[in-house]
Amino acid sequence: MTLAPLSDQLAADAPGRRRPARGSGRAPGRVPIGYVFVSLYALLALAFGIVPSLYAVLLAFTNPTGGFAGVDNFVKVVGDFRFWPAVLHVTIYLIIWLTGLVIFVVALALIVHAVRVRWASTTLRFVYYLPGALAGASSVLLWLFVLDPTASPVTGLLRLMGFNSFVQVIQPGNLPTIFAIIAFWTGAGGWIVIMYGALNNISTDVIEAARIDGANTVQIAFSIQLPMLRKWIAYMGVMSLAAGTQLFVEPQLLSQASNAVVPNDYSLNQLAYQYAFQQNDFNGAAAISLILLVVALLLSWVFVTRGGLFERE
Amino acid sequence: MTMTALLSERRRRPALRAWGGRSVAGIVLLVFVLFFLIPMVWLLFAVTKSSRALIVTDPFSPGSWSDFAANWNQLFGFQDGAVTAWMGNSALYAGGALLITLLVSIPAGYALALTEFRLRNPLLVMTLVVMLIPGTALVLPVFLELNSVGLIGTPLSVILPMSFFPFGVYLTYIYFSTSIPRDLLAAARIDGCTELQVFTRIALPLATPVVALVAFFSFVQNWNNFFLPFIMLPSSDGYPIQVGLTSLLAATPAFNPSSAGSDSIQLPTLALGTIVSILPVLIVFLFSQRFLVAGMTAGGTKE
């Protein structure tokens, strides 16, 4: 409408004036305007992304007096008697959580997507998503109640499984499952909504064609919908894997609530915290957080460059 | 085999099987509805009971108004109104970070989408990479950095790191690169708009949806943030409510027997603390569910 005459005007313009008008925003001899707009962001990225990472690298490879320490700090933290148990804890937790997350999120998204009644589908998604409002400490607190047989809303279920006291529930062997349940409860809904959105993007023609060819709902799910969800499932897996290695608030609060039945160095991040705040060993803390950061960066990097899910141009 | 023969052959048994499949699917949906809802519904009942009633009465029976009032008074009387102060802190941190995030991210996303400059691609890749690493991964490094310059314990030590929000920049970038035609901006330039005017008069007014989306994610994430303030703010005066909850927990004899004393917290009061701590986020959730569902999938491109 108003655009048409304007683009005519553009075409009629002298060729020399076309360059700045193409959206480059570059006036001759001046700093491109893009730099002005990104300057604050670049500043924050420098101050709270790049510089701290580099500083952690510096600390991890130096000793408290500032001398070069080589890999001493890494040898020290990896050799710490608490390090490998923490790795094991986090690994078991990740296995349980990721398996449950992938199976249940995908299954629920497929089922909810198959629900034809509109209000039911919307309500289901909302109910699944709502616990996402309780992240961090709030959700852990709520689950302390749920897991305490004296106050729990599901006392019967807990007793059925043989748990009569809070201390019995939080035995070390149960912890990875408990943390996985808490993480699933808060986080799964968001992923279900995302998967549902991805399922909506699958063309109805394809589904319709399969149905006419005689495929039933289960066959459609396994041979059409699942393969088309693969990227999103990978995305969920990578993000959750990276987030899971950071496990902190759940064991931290549980440790506090259990009078240290749950140790305060249960996860790697807690161990890093212990190094920094109990032992005042910033070099050791930097070494652990660097290991975690590198794992996260690697996962993220591989996904950004190979995954093809995110648009860069 | 012809199509009709195939259809009629398949139709007899599947009718029964589809019915069975449907009920299995229905049961799965219901079990998960209960799983997600029971803890939250229970919480609403728990705060209306005395600590004795919480243990002896049915979990889903309502308590009394007076017990709710007693819990309320105990919660807000804790350490001379510490809970009110923590809520104020949370509002300050999440609100401050929200403002700075918008000021920083919207222009940055705009520039990445619609202008050209040499560092554009590196900046974009950095944004994606940092966006996909968990927020907690950078917390200790940022602590070590701020500690070396003596900034620990100030509100800015949480507000500024929270304001670095690559996901917001990415959302803005996607929005501007997909929903604003470059011709529109070019036209404005021909008409004599400066670069700043192009942004403030043309792009910004069209960006309301993405501003709301970035604001939502920034606020929810920062309000719920635990690890960063837990590490940056050593003094109870500066706690946001999420960290304050640990103080409440430590003062609950049911979980921490050594804390039995005058200023102790009973279980229903702790439950009330949990509700109060998420109330702002819950309200935002309830009012924004529609646009959220659209927004969460906007993070990735369509297949």
Side-chain angles (χ1 to χ4, degrees):
Chain A
M1 301 149 283
T2 50
L3 273 175
L6 282 170
S7 50
D8 286 348
Q9 202 180 337
L10 184 74
D13 249 315
R17 288 194 54 192
R18 281 198 59 184
R19 264 188 69 106
R22 283 185 60 188
S24 70
R26 180 173 211 147
R30 282 176 48 197
V31 180
I33 190 74
Y35 284 123
V36 179
F37 283 125
V38 298
S39 54
L40 285 175
Y41 175 58
L43 212 63
L44 283 181
L46 216 58
F48 301 110
I50 294 163
V51 171
S53 307
L54 295 178
Y55 186 58
V57 172
L58 179 77
L59 281 179
F61 287 100
T62 52
N63 58 36
T65 54
F68 182 69
V71 292
D72 288 358
N73 290 312
F74 293 96
V75 172
K76 177 179 62 186
V77 296
V78 172
D80 190 311
F81 70 98
R82 299 165 295 183
F83 183 83
W84 289 108
V87 171
L88 186 69
H89 295 152
V90 172
T91 309
I92 298 174
Y93 157 70
L94 279 173
I95 292 172
I96 298 176
W97 181 42
L98 290 182
T99 314
L101 191 69
V102 169
I103 293 175
F104 291 123
V105 164
V106 173
L108 285 171
L110 284 171
I111 299 176
V112 172
H113 192 255
V115 170
R116 288 275 160 269
V117 190
R118 204 181 157 77
W119 66 263
S121 163
T122 318
T123 314
L124 281 170
R125 269 173 291 150
F126 184 62
V127 166
Y128 294 163
Y129 186 46
L130 199 57
L134 279 86
S138 309
S139 72
V140 181
L141 272 195
L142 176 51
W143 278 88
L144 289 183
F145 287 114
V146 177
L147 296 173
D148 182 353
T150 53
S152 173
V154 288
T155 310
L157 195 63
L158 289 173
R159 294 206 197 284
L160 206 68
M161 293 193 292
F163 301 121
N164 292 308
S165 71
F166 185 58
V167 176
Q168 279 181 331
V169 175
I170 56 165
Q171 284 310 301
N174 300 337
L175 291 177
T177 316
I178 291 175
F179 297 147
I181 291 175
I182 299 179
F184 184 84
W185 187 78
T186 34
W191 288 115
I192 292 174
V193 171
I194 290 178
M195 294 288 167
Y196 179 90
L199 282 172
N200 269 348
N201 278 343
I202 299 175
S203 151
T204 45
D205 293 351
V206 180
I207 308 279
E208 222 36 63
R211 208 173 288 277
I212 288 170
D213 285 352
N216 62 33
T217 314
V218 176
Q219 284 169 327
I220 289 176
F222 275 96
S223 11
I224 298 175
Q225 291 171 313
L226 268 183
M228 285 186 154
L229 278 185
R230 217 171 43 208
K231 268 184 184 177
W232 288 100
I233 297 172
Y235 174 49
M236 175 173 77
V238 170
M239 294 288 281
S240 307
L241 181 59
T245 55
Q246 300 285 325
L247 187 68
F248 181 82
V249 59
E250 291 91 348
Q252 184 72 17
L253 282 188
L254 216 52
S255 163
Q256 197 183 330
S258 67
N259 250 340
V261 169
V262 177
N264 60 10
D265 45 25
Y266 184 84
S267 75
L268 285 168
N269 240 342
Q270 281 182 295
L271 188 58
Y273 176 79
Q274 293 293 324
Y275 264 91
F277 289 86
Q278 301 298 318
Q279 300 166 225
N280 278 318
D281 181 352
F282 287 172
N283 305 95
I288 300 178
S289 57
L290 203 61
I291 294 174
L292 287 170
L293 184 62
V294 166
V295 170
L297 278 175
L298 271 181
L299 285 172
S300 160
W301 178 260
V302 167
F303 204 74
V304 168
T305 51
R306 308 276 310 275
L309 190 61
F310 291 96
E311 181 154 10
R312 272 190 293 143
E313 190 51 66
Chain B
M1 199 186 285
T2 64
M3 182 79 77
T4 40
L6 190 108
L7 278 179
S8 61
E9 190 208 23
R10 291 217 163 191
R11 207 162 259 163
R12 272 173 286 137
R13 280 234 318 261
L16 237 176
R17 232 193 307 155
W19 191 84
R22 238 175 241 172
S23 31
V24 170
I27 290 168
V28 171
L29 287 180
L30 186 69
V31 165
F32 277 93
V33 165
L34 292 178
F35 169 73
F36 285 113
L37 269 189
I38 281 181
M40 300 188 88
V41 172
W42 174 83
L43 200 57
L44 295 176
F45 284 111
V47 299
T48 62
K49 294 175 182 177
S50 67
S51 46
R52 207 186 106 75
L54 185 71
I55 289 164
V56 297
T57 62
D58 181 87
F60 298 100
S61 66
S64 71
W65 179 249
S66 62
D67 282 328
F68 175 74
N71 293 334
W72 181 273
N73 290 333
Q74 188 180 47
L75 181 67
F76 285 92
F78 180 72
Q79 292 179 0
D80 296 325
V83 172
T84 317
W86 295 334
M87 290 294 279
N89 289 336
S90 278
L92 172 71
Y93 303 152
L98 170 64
L99 271 181
I100 301 179
T101 297
L102 289 179
L103 280 176
V104 167
S105 314
I106 306 297
Y110 167 80
L112 288 175
L114 296 171
T115 68
E116 307 277 344
F117 51 98
R118 194 171 296 163
L119 288 178
R120 180 177 166 277
N121 208 39
L123 206 57
L124 207 47
V125 174
M126 187 278 290
T127 301
L128 276 173
V129 170
V130 180
M131 169 182 120
L132 293 183
I133 68 172
T136 42
L138 280 168
V139 167
L140 264 174
V142 170
F143 166 80
L144 296 170
E145 175 201 43
L146 291 185
N147 188 51
S148 70
V149 291
L151 273 175
I152 300 303
T154 60
L156 283 182
S157 69
V158 288
I159 293 178
L160 288 179
M162 282 173 175
S163 306
F164 173 47
F165 190 43
F167 181 55
V169 173
Y170 181 75
L171 281 180
T172 318
Y173 160 76
I174 286 291
Y175 181 81
F176 277 127
S177 52
T178 53
S179 29
I180 296 200
R182 286 184 171 219
D183 283 353
L184 188 66
L185 304 185
R189 289 193 185 100
I190 302 288
D191 283 356
C193 276
T194 63
E195 288 300 328
L196 192 65
Q197 284 170 328
V198 171
F199 174 66
T200 54
R201 298 202 180 160
I202 313 287
L204 212 49
L206 291 170
T208 329
V210 78
V211 170
L213 203 59
V214 173
F216 172 85
F217 283 115
S218 159
F219 180 79
V220 169
Q221 185 173 320
N222 292 332
W223 184 279
N224 283 334
N225 197 332
F226 178 85
F227 196 36
L228 181 75
F230 182 72
I231 280 190
M232 295 292 178
L233 307 166
S235 143
S236 167
D237 303 337
Y239 284 176
I241 185 71
Q242 286 288 324
V243 180
L245 285 178
T246 61
S247 294
L248 288 180
L249 179 62
T252 308
F255 287 115
N256 186 7
S258 61
S259 66
S262 55
D263 210 9
S264 66
I265 290 286
Q266 299 307 312
L267 277 181
T269 309
L270 188 63
L272 185 61
T274 310
I275 292 192
V276 166
S277 73
I278 55 137
L279 216 48
V281 171
L282 203 58
I283 292 170
V284 173
F285 255 63
L286 291 172
F287 279 100
S288 49
Q289 62 148 314
R290 181 171 281 274
F291 93 97
L292 256 179
V293 172
M296 289 191 55
T297 44
T301 55
K302 291 185 176 175
E303 300 275 331

